[in-house]
Amino acid sequence: MCDEAFMQRVFEKTKPEWVCHMAARAGVRPLIQDPFVYIHSNIKGTTWLMELSHQYGVQNFVFASS
């Protein structure tokens, strides 16, 4: 999800009408040990997915997180 070029190609090829985002990292202990990994996937990845959804006119964006 954090591979911006790959995700751009996926959106360009599939032109999704909806996105269901459940690709976040979970767990408090690993978060404390390596917060960058969580910031990268949970914040940067989610922001990029939302940006792509906006660019490609996605009508429904579902986000599920623990």
Side-chain angles (χ1 to χ4, degrees):
M1 185 175 81
C2 292
D3 183 337
E4 294 180 7
F6 173 76
M7 292 303 294
Q8 184 83 44
R9 289 192 306 273
V10 168
F11 271 72
E12 183 62 37
K13 183 177 180 179
T14 63
K15 307 250 190 299
E17 295 178 15
W18 58 271
V19 170
C20 182
H21 171 34
M22 298 189 298
R25 292 184 179 267
V28 174
R29 191 168 295 135
L31 167 62
I32 293 168
Q33 294 170 347
D34 191 359
F36 177 76
V37 171
Y38 283 76
I39 290 168
H40 184 70
S41 67
N42 291 2
I43 297 173
K44 185 178 180 211
T46 298
T47 302
W48 177 240
L49 189 57
M50 291 173 71
E51 179 62 33
L52 283 172
S53 295
H54 176 71
Q55 287 177 17
Y56 285 88
V58 170
Q59 296 297 310
N60 297 294
F61 188 97
V62 177
F63 175 63
S65 180
S66 56

